[in-house]
Amino acid sequence: MTLPDLALPQAAQDLLFRQARTANTFTDEPVTPDEIRAVYDLVKFGPTAMNSQPLRITLVETAEARERLLPHMAEGNRAKTAKAPLVAILAADADFHENLPTVFPHAPGIRDMLHGQEDSRTSMAALNSGLQIGYFIIGVRAAGLYAGPMTGFDGAGIDAEFHTGTSKKTLVVVNIGHPAEDSWFDRLPRLDDADVITVV
Protein backbone atom coordinates (compact mmCIF):
# COMPACT_ATOMS: atom_id res chain seq x y z
CA MET A 1 0.00 0.00 0.00
CA THR A 2 1.30 3.43 -0.93
CA LEU A 3 0.90 5.96 1.86
CA PRO A 4 0.23 9.64 1.21
CA ASP A 5 3.05 12.13 1.49
CA LEU A 6 3.41 14.08 4.72
CA ALA A 7 3.65 17.87 4.84
CA LEU A 8 7.01 17.68 6.62
CA PRO A 9 9.87 17.34 4.09
CA GLN A 10 11.52 13.92 3.81
CA ALA A 11 14.86 15.22 5.16
CA ALA A 12 13.18 16.56 8.28
CA GLN A 13 11.29 13.29 8.78
CA ASP A 14 14.58 11.40 8.58
CA LEU A 15 16.33 13.80 10.98
CA LEU A 16 13.62 13.52 13.60
CA PHE A 17 12.64 9.86 13.23
CA ARG A 18 13.97 7.46 10.59
CA GLN A 19 17.69 8.22 10.94
CA ALA A 20 17.60 9.43 14.54
CA ARG A 21 19.09 7.07 17.09
CA THR A 22 19.55 6.77 20.84
CA ALA A 23 23.20 7.61 21.47
CA ASN A 24 25.24 5.79 24.10
CA THR A 25 28.60 7.50 23.57
CA PHE A 26 29.48 11.03 22.54
CA THR A 27 32.35 13.08 21.17
CA ASP A 28 34.01 15.77 23.28
CA GLU A 29 32.20 18.54 21.37
CA PRO A 30 30.41 20.60 24.02
CA VAL A 31 26.70 21.26 24.32
CA THR A 32 25.74 24.47 26.10
CA PRO A 33 22.73 25.27 28.27
CA ASP A 34 21.84 27.95 25.72
CA GLU A 35 21.46 25.26 23.06
CA ILE A 36 18.99 23.46 25.31
CA ARG A 37 17.18 26.74 25.97
CA ALA A 38 16.78 27.04 22.20
CA VAL A 39 15.40 23.50 22.11
CA TYR A 40 12.93 24.34 24.86
CA ASP A 41 11.92 27.55 23.08
CA LEU A 42 10.69 25.31 20.27
CA VAL A 43 9.15 22.37 22.12
CA LYS A 44 7.33 24.45 24.75
CA PHE A 45 4.56 24.81 22.18
CA GLY A 46 3.71 21.09 22.34
CA PRO A 47 0.24 20.52 23.82
CA THR A 48 -0.41 19.53 27.44
CA ALA A 49 -3.68 19.18 29.34
CA MET A 50 -4.92 22.59 30.49
CA ASN A 51 -1.65 23.95 29.04
CA SER A 52 -0.18 22.78 32.35
CA GLN A 53 3.45 22.39 31.17
CA PRO A 54 4.61 20.45 34.27
CA LEU A 55 8.02 19.38 32.92
CA ARG A 56 11.03 20.80 34.78
CA ILE A 57 14.56 20.52 33.39
CA THR A 58 17.76 20.52 35.45
CA LEU A 59 20.90 20.76 33.32
CA VAL A 60 23.90 19.06 34.91
CA GLU A 61 26.85 20.98 33.53
CA THR A 62 29.49 21.35 36.25
CA ALA A 63 31.84 18.59 37.40
CA GLU A 64 30.57 19.04 40.96
CA ALA A 65 26.95 18.52 39.90
CA ARG A 66 27.97 15.50 37.80
CA GLU A 67 29.62 13.90 40.84
CA ARG A 68 26.41 14.42 42.80
CA LEU A 69 24.37 12.71 40.08
CA LEU A 70 26.54 9.71 39.24
CA PRO A 71 26.04 7.68 42.46
CA HIS A 72 22.30 7.64 41.77
CA MET A 73 22.64 6.27 38.23
CA ALA A 74 22.37 2.53 37.61
CA GLU A 75 25.78 0.94 37.15
CA GLY A 76 25.19 0.38 33.43
CA ASN A 77 24.37 4.05 32.91
CA ARG A 78 27.06 5.60 35.10
CA ALA A 79 30.06 5.66 32.75
CA LYS A 80 28.20 7.15 29.79
CA THR A 81 26.57 9.75 32.03
CA ALA A 82 30.00 10.69 33.35
CA LYS A 83 31.28 11.32 29.81
CA ALA A 84 28.27 12.94 28.13
CA PRO A 85 28.81 16.61 27.23
CA LEU A 86 25.57 17.64 28.94
CA VAL A 87 23.03 15.80 31.07
CA ALA A 88 19.40 16.81 31.60
CA ILE A 89 17.30 15.64 34.54
CA LEU A 90 13.65 15.73 33.42
CA ALA A 91 11.14 15.89 36.23
CA ALA A 92 7.40 16.31 36.74
CA ASP A 93 6.33 19.16 39.00
CA ALA A 94 3.13 18.36 40.89
CA ASP A 95 2.87 22.04 41.83
CA PHE A 96 2.28 22.98 38.19
CA HIS A 97 -1.12 24.32 39.24
CA GLU A 98 0.53 27.41 40.71
CA ASN A 99 1.20 28.57 37.14
CA LEU A 100 -2.31 27.91 35.82
CA PRO A 101 -3.56 31.49 36.37
CA THR A 102 -0.86 32.55 33.89
CA VAL A 103 -0.91 29.70 31.37
CA PHE A 104 -4.65 28.84 31.57
CA PRO A 105 -6.19 32.22 32.40
CA HIS A 106 -9.69 31.54 31.09
CA ALA A 107 -10.31 29.15 34.04
CA PRO A 108 -9.49 31.47 36.96
CA GLY A 109 -10.57 29.06 39.71
CA ILE A 110 -8.63 26.02 38.52
CA ARG A 111 -5.56 26.58 40.71
CA ASP A 112 -7.65 26.69 43.88
CA MET A 113 -9.69 23.68 42.77
CA LEU A 114 -6.55 21.59 42.32
CA HIS A 115 -4.81 22.88 45.44
CA GLY A 116 -5.95 20.07 47.75
CA GLN A 117 -5.84 17.31 45.12
CA GLU A 118 -2.21 16.20 45.32
CA ASP A 119 -2.84 12.69 43.97
CA SER A 120 -4.65 14.06 40.91
CA ARG A 121 -1.96 16.66 40.32
CA THR A 122 0.82 14.07 40.64
CA SER A 123 -0.86 11.80 38.08
CA MET A 124 -1.56 14.69 35.73
CA ALA A 125 2.00 15.99 36.08
CA ALA A 126 3.49 12.59 35.27
CA LEU A 127 1.34 12.06 32.17
CA ASN A 128 1.86 15.52 30.73
CA SER A 129 5.56 15.59 31.58
CA GLY A 130 5.81 12.32 29.67
CA LEU A 131 4.35 14.08 26.64
CA GLN A 132 6.83 16.91 27.09
CA ILE A 133 9.73 14.48 27.41
CA GLY A 134 8.82 13.16 23.96
CA TYR A 135 8.73 16.71 22.61
CA PHE A 136 12.08 17.41 24.28
CA ILE A 137 13.81 14.44 22.64
CA ILE A 138 12.43 15.43 19.23
CA GLY A 139 13.63 18.99 19.87
CA VAL A 140 17.13 17.75 20.69
CA ARG A 141 17.13 15.90 17.37
CA ALA A 142 15.86 19.02 15.57
CA ALA A 143 18.90 20.88 16.94
CA GLY A 144 21.21 18.36 15.28
CA LEU A 145 22.06 16.76 18.61
CA TYR A 146 21.55 13.22 19.85
CA ALA A 147 19.81 12.12 23.04
CA GLY A 148 20.39 9.13 25.26
CA PRO A 149 17.33 8.92 27.55
CA MET A 150 17.58 6.63 30.59
CA THR A 151 15.26 5.43 33.34
CA GLY A 152 17.87 3.33 35.14
CA PHE A 153 18.52 5.39 38.27
CA ASP A 154 17.48 5.94 41.87
CA GLY A 155 14.80 8.56 41.43
CA ALA A 156 14.38 9.21 45.14
CA GLY A 157 18.12 9.74 45.43
CA ILE A 158 18.20 12.19 42.55
CA ASP A 159 15.22 14.05 43.98
CA ALA A 160 16.88 14.30 47.39
CA GLU A 161 20.06 15.59 45.75
CA PHE A 162 18.57 18.07 43.27
CA HIS A 163 14.90 18.65 44.13
CA THR A 164 14.82 18.98 47.92
CA GLY A 165 12.03 21.24 49.09
CA THR A 166 10.12 21.00 45.81
CA SER A 167 7.38 18.80 44.37
CA LYS A 168 9.54 17.67 41.43
CA LYS A 169 9.85 13.94 40.73
CA THR A 170 12.52 12.71 38.33
CA LEU A 171 11.18 10.71 35.39
CA VAL A 172 14.05 10.50 32.88
CA VAL A 173 17.73 11.42 32.72
CA VAL A 174 18.98 12.31 29.22
CA ASN A 175 22.57 12.42 28.00
CA ILE A 176 22.95 14.94 25.17
CA GLY A 177 25.71 15.50 22.63
CA HIS A 178 27.19 14.62 19.26
CA PRO A 179 27.48 10.86 18.75
CA ALA A 180 30.82 9.09 18.80
CA GLU A 181 31.61 6.31 16.34
CA ASP A 182 29.57 3.15 16.97
CA SER A 183 27.39 5.08 19.41
CA TRP A 184 24.31 2.90 19.03
CA PHE A 185 23.13 -0.67 18.74
CA ASP A 186 21.55 -2.12 15.60
CA ARG A 187 18.08 -0.71 15.03
CA LEU A 188 15.40 -2.94 16.47
CA PRO A 189 12.17 -3.86 14.65
CA ARG A 190 9.14 -1.60 14.78
CA LEU A 191 5.56 -2.78 14.85
CA ASP A 192 3.68 -2.51 11.57
CA ASP A 193 0.73 -0.13 11.42
CA ALA A 194 -1.60 -3.14 11.13
CA ASP A 195 -0.47 -4.21 14.61
CA VAL A 196 -1.09 -0.78 16.11
CA ILE A 197 -3.87 1.03 14.27
CA THR A 198 -7.48 -0.14 14.51
CA VAL A 199 -10.10 1.55 12.37
CA VAL A 200 -13.63 1.28 13.77
Side-chain angles (χ1 to χ4, degrees):
M1 180 177 69
T2 301
L3 296 175
D5 290 336
L6 300 177
L8 192 68
Q10 182 83 34
Q13 295 175 37
D14 291 343
L15 175 70
L16 300 180
F17 293 99
R18 295 190 188 94
Q19 294 177 3
R21 305 299 304 274
T22 295
N24 292 293
T25 58
F26 300 91
T27 68
D28 294 333
E29 186 174 350
V31 177
T32 68
D34 281 347
E35 289 179 88
I36 303 307
R37 290 186 180 97
V39 167
Y40 176 72
D41 199 49
L42 171 66
V43 303
K44 67 184 180 184
F45 294 104
T48 54
M50 293 194 298
N51 199 30
S52 52
Q53 305 168 64
L55 182 68
R56 303 294 179 261
I57 303 169
T58 300
L59 297 178
V60 180
E61 184 184 33
T62 67
E64 180 270 337
R66 191 81 57 115
E67 289 304 312
R68 290 166 53 203
L69 173 63
L70 290 178
H72 305 294
M73 300 302 297
E75 184 175 352
N77 291 330
R78 203 168 293 149
K80 58 186 175 181
T81 303
K83 295 178 180 178
L86 189 66
V87 182
I89 300 171
L90 305 185
D93 185 2
D95 282 347
F96 67 86
H97 66 303
E98 297 294 348
N99 293 315
L100 289 178
T102 299
V103 300
F104 204 60
H106 55 282
I110 195 70
R111 175 179 62 183
D112 294 340
M113 186 191 81
L114 289 172
H115 182 71
Q117 301 183 28
E118 185 174 355
D119 288 346
S120 294
R121 293 198 326 267
T122 298
S123 175
M124 184 175 171
L127 173 60
N128 287 279
S129 293
L131 289 173
Q132 289 187 282
I133 288 167
Y135 305 148
F136 180 82
I137 292 170
I138 299 303
V140 167
R141 293 173 173 181
L145 300 166
Y146 281 69
M150 302 166 290
T151 56
F153 51 76
D154 173 12
I158 293 177
D159 291 338
E161 192 68 48
F162 292 94
H163 300 147
T164 300
T166 75
S167 58
K168 300 175 189 176
K169 299 295 181 188
T170 301
L171 299 179
V172 177
V173 176
V174 185
N175 294 329
I176 302 169
H178 298 271
E181 189 176 354
D182 297 325
S183 181
W184 38 72
F185 304 114
D186 291 340
R187 187 178 286 285
L188 297 171
R190 264 43 180 185
L191 293 174
D192 187 76
D193 64 277
D195 298 317
V196 175
I197 299 173
T198 300
V199 179
V200 295

